[in-house]
Amino acid sequence: MLTRLYLKDFAIATAVDFDLQKGLGVISGETGAGKSLLVDALLLLSGSRADPGVVRHGADRAELGAEFLIDSDSPARAWLRERELDDESRCLLRRVIRADGGSRAWINGSPATAGQLGELAGMLIEIHGQHEHQALLDRVQQLRLLDGFGGHEALAAAVLEAHRLWRARVDERDGLEGGGDPAQRIDYLRHQLAQLDALSLDPEHIESLTQRQRRLAAAQQIAEALESAQQRLAEDGTGGARGALLSARHALERVTQHLPALEDTVALLDTASIQLDEAALQLERCAGDLELDADSAQAVERELSDLHELARRHRVRMEELADLRDRLREELERLEDLDGRRERIDREIAAAAEAWTHAAGRLTAARQKTAARLGTEVSALMEELGMSGGRLLVELSPQAGPDPHPAGAERAELCVSANAGQPPRPLRKVASGGELSRISLAIEVATFGGDGVPTMVFDEVDSGIGGAIAEVVGLKLRALAAHRQVLCVTHLPQVAAQGHYQFQVSKRIEEGVTRSQLRRLDASGRVEELARMLGGLEITDTTLAHARQMLAQAASNP
């Protein structure tokens, strides 16, 4: 729902800032006061092309802003969330148009393109009037409207899912056929696997080889360290650790009878002697196991060199060669079974196409019934809205191309005959802006906003009508407002009286410059404005009484 609209230095509006609410809001005012400026601003906030001529004379730029309240399950909320532009339930559209021709846009404070504005605004607001930006003129939107009116959501979802499955199988088949000559790829894979299988690629083996290479490279240094340690632990000689230990023990043992406390020290020296013996044995074993064979070193170097070369050629680390081998083997197995896989996929494609045909057939039958019903209901409403003899025809035609389409087997085109005896023409080709607005109103009332857009704006929907027909238009707008937020720019009191609230646009001249201003009318203000709209140079008590009566009568409507 649109909750706020802000304009600054836009055309003849210096600054306009007003809040909106649910229900039917009407905007009235004298001719030329700038009633349609609000609609023009919403069009620009919906991504329309910006003309620097909209910047107020003497200003550097025009600023436009619109704030919306979005339901948690709305498509707009999902669209914002997907692009990381969401701000909980709030959505702010802003656009700046410079007098030099530049234009910038923002969505919730983040820079956006005009295309993004249009895509998002299409889910938030729908504008009907004498312009070419109406969503109802788009054939895709017309098909969605038909499905919404008929409650075809489940049928349409089944068609979409069937198409998704069909598309996935087709893409898989194209992937099989898009990789060049399979025979050449098979030969290449076999050659690469022969090289990979010739070596042990287990990551643990590679790690073991690397450690062995380090030991072999340091073998001489290790041998010298072992020999030095063995000499220092030698049993004989005064320089060895064992000899020094034994000498110390014997010296202490001779005096323990005089100092018994030394017995514990002698015991510790005995323990140390045993540990020295164990250390000497370990050094002896390590020396025996040490590889000093040059052939072993060369063999390790060759194997590691081969592994490095394979890794370099395939642009992976040595530890990843085993995974690469497994992937190439899987690809080879798939290619060797290519004919079998192609046959299976072709069967799956045929089954998916048959499922789509079944789902699309059910949707087509429902659409045909709904098209007739929608045409009948809208035609009856057109009659009520003063288009005597007018009728709406929903034409369904096959989708282009033989392949399954995500929207179903047909396209929809809303065709209209505005007067009796005239052949139906596509809605997008209807010439009269007033007729187009009333037809749009009839469609929206019949479907009660079946397209799901929460806010609808009607610009001069009452153009060229008056009297009882104008009152019918007002009643239809009010009925529509029970389901959607509706804004209507009007010059007829019969329409304005049906509003739940009302704004008045006026203009004044200050220092030789025309400025437009907008104010929300209270109860007495609405009476005065309706009296003005009822006509006459002088507002009489009778006119005021008539205005009060119209408002009272409208208030009794839902």
Side-chain angles (χ1 to χ4, degrees):
M1 180 182 78
L2 179 63
T3 59
R4 179 173 175 248
L5 187 61
Y6 170 75
L7 320 176
K8 181 180 179 183
D9 294 331
F10 182 65
I12 60 174
T14 305
V16 173
D17 189 355
F18 62 103
D19 297 328
L20 298 109
Q21 62 191 57
K22 294 180 180 179
L24 172 60
V26 295
I27 301 169
S28 61
E30 295 180 356
T31 302
K35 297 189 298 296
S36 293
L37 285 181
L38 305 179
V39 178
D40 295 337
L42 287 171
L43 285 171
L44 287 168
L45 286 167
S46 299
S48 295
R49 184 176 179 179
D51 184 342
V54 301
V55 180
R56 186 177 62 82
H57 179 70
D60 294 330
R61 63 183 187 178
E63 296 185 28
L64 311 173
E67 187 171 337
F68 294 85
L69 190 64
I70 306 178
D71 292 337
S72 58
D73 58 349
S74 71
R77 176 76 74 91
W79 187 94
L80 289 166
R81 191 162 42 241
E82 181 181 339
R83 291 156 181 80
E84 298 183 348
L85 294 172
D86 54 315
D87 185 10
E88 297 183 350
S89 61
R90 176 177 173 270
C91 177
L92 178 62
L93 307 183
R94 180 170 175 256
R95 192 166 186 183
V96 171
I97 302 161
R98 295 194 303 271
D100 61 9
S103 173
R104 295 184 64 190
W106 294 264
I107 297 175
N108 281 338
S110 297
T113 64
Q116 288 176 315
L117 275 185
E119 190 175 351
L120 175 59
M123 307 175 201
L124 298 173
I125 190 165
E126 194 171 90
I127 302 174
H128 303 272
Q130 303 182 37
H131 47 76
E132 57 184 17
H133 300 278
Q134 295 189 59
L136 276 178
L137 301 184
D138 179 54
R139 295 190 66 176
V140 173
Q141 183 66 18
Q142 292 175 2
L143 187 61
R144 290 175 184 164
L145 184 73
L146 178 66
D147 287 338
F149 177 69
H152 304 155
E153 290 81 2
L155 294 173
V159 169
L160 184 62
E161 176 62 14
H163 176 270
R164 187 190 66 79
L165 294 174
W166 173 83
R167 182 78 264 169
R169 297 286 79 78
V170 170
D171 290 343
E172 185 177 356
R173 183 187 62 189
D174 292 345
L176 291 178
E177 299 175 351
D181 185 357
Q184 291 183 358
R185 181 64 177 172
I186 288 173
D187 290 341
Y188 169 79
L189 291 173
R190 286 173 177 169
H191 176 70
Q192 296 301 320
L193 283 170
Q195 293 182 333
L196 291 165
D197 288 337
L199 296 172
S200 177
L201 305 181
D202 184 70
E204 288 76 11
H205 174 72
I206 294 174
E207 177 62 23
S208 175
L209 274 179
T210 303
Q211 293 179 359
R212 189 177 174 193
Q213 180 195 40
R214 295 194 189 104
R215 286 198 304 271
L216 287 169
Q220 188 61 39
Q221 181 182 357
I222 295 172
E224 292 174 356
L226 291 174
E227 183 179 359
S228 175
Q230 285 176 312
Q231 288 176 354
R232 292 180 184 279
L233 295 179
E235 181 177 352
D236 298 327
T238 58
R242 181 172 177 75
L245 186 63
L246 290 174
S247 297
R249 182 189 182 284
H250 291 155
L252 294 174
E253 189 177 26
R254 287 194 296 267
V255 297
T256 54
Q257 58 182 332
H258 304 296
L259 185 60
L262 291 174
E263 291 179 355
D264 290 340
T265 305
V266 171
L268 289 172
L269 292 174
D270 287 340
T271 301
S273 177
I274 294 172
Q275 291 177 339
L276 281 175
D277 289 342
E278 292 179 353
L281 287 172
Q282 287 185 4
L283 289 174
E284 187 177 350
R285 285 195 295 269
C286 287
D289 293 340
L290 185 63
E291 287 185 279
L292 294 174
D293 186 2
D295 291 339
S296 296
Q298 290 177 0
V300 170
E301 289 291 344
R302 281 196 302 270
E303 187 172 359
L304 281 174
S305 177
D306 291 341
L307 288 168
H308 275 295
E309 176 59 23
L310 271 179
R312 184 197 62 78
R313 190 183 309 155
H314 291 285
R315 298 180 180 179
V316 298
R317 295 184 298 113
M318 282 195 302
E319 296 78 5
E320 298 171 344
L321 285 170
D323 290 338
L324 172 67
R325 175 200 59 203
D326 295 342
R327 291 197 303 271
L328 293 181
R329 181 166 286 117
E330 289 176 2
E331 183 182 355
L332 178 61
E333 291 172 355
R334 287 197 304 270
L335 288 176
E336 287 176 337
D337 187 37
L338 187 62
D339 291 338
R341 289 187 66 212
R342 186 182 288 112
E343 290 177 2
R344 288 194 296 273
I345 292 174
D346 284 341
R347 289 195 297 269
E348 291 172 357
I349 289 174
E354 184 177 354
W356 178 89
T357 299
H358 176 71
R362 294 176 60 201
L363 181 57
T364 296
R367 282 173 172 170
Q368 289 171 343
K369 293 179 180 179
T370 300
R373 182 162 58 91
L374 178 61
T376 299
E377 293 190 20
V378 173
S379 297
L381 285 166
M382 289 171 63
E383 187 80 22
E384 291 184 57
L385 295 174
M387 304 180 70
S388 180
R391 61 191 179 97
L392 176 86
L393 176 67
V394 183
E395 290 188 351
L396 298 176
S397 57
Q399 293 279 5
D403 291 338
H405 192 280
E410 56 278 321
R411 299 181 296 170
E413 178 85 84
L414 299 184
C415 296
V416 173
S417 171
N419 299 289
Q422 293 183 347
R425 299 173 58 219
L427 181 63
R428 51 193 165 86
K429 295 183 179 180
V430 172
S432 167
E435 289 178 344
L436 183 59
S437 295
R438 271 180 283 159
I439 293 168
S440 299
L441 174 60
I443 293 171
E444 293 293 353
V445 171
T447 61
F448 281 124
D451 51 15
V453 179
T455 299
M456 284 176 285
V457 180
F458 290 90
D459 184 20
E460 302 288 355
V461 69
D462 47 17
S463 176
I465 61 173
I469 299 300
E471 185 174 357
V472 171
V473 170
L475 289 169
K476 298 302 181 185
L477 287 169
R478 191 178 179 97
L480 184 59
H483 304 268
R484 295 288 186 271
Q485 181 190 40
V486 179
L487 295 176
C488 177
V489 176
T490 182
H491 64 278
L492 293 180
Q494 295 93 331
V495 174
Q498 297 297 328
H500 294 98
Y501 59 97
Q502 185 172 351
F503 294 96
Q504 181 193 52
V505 180
S506 60
K507 63 180 179 179
R508 67 183 188 278
I509 300 177
E510 296 180 355
E511 299 178 356
V513 178
T514 301
R515 302 180 188 276
S516 180
Q517 62 181 10
L518 179 142
R519 68 187 182 98
R520 182 164 181 154
L521 301 175
D522 57 16
S524 60
R526 289 196 69 183
V527 171
E528 293 177 2
E529 175 66 1
L530 281 183
R532 182 198 65 78
M533 297 173 74
L534 284 167
L537 296 175
E538 182 180 355
I539 305 301
T540 65
D541 291 340
T542 301
T543 308
L544 291 170
H546 188 190
R548 292 189 189 94
Q549 182 183 7
M550 292 176 67
L551 288 171
Q553 184 176 352
S556 65
N557 296 323

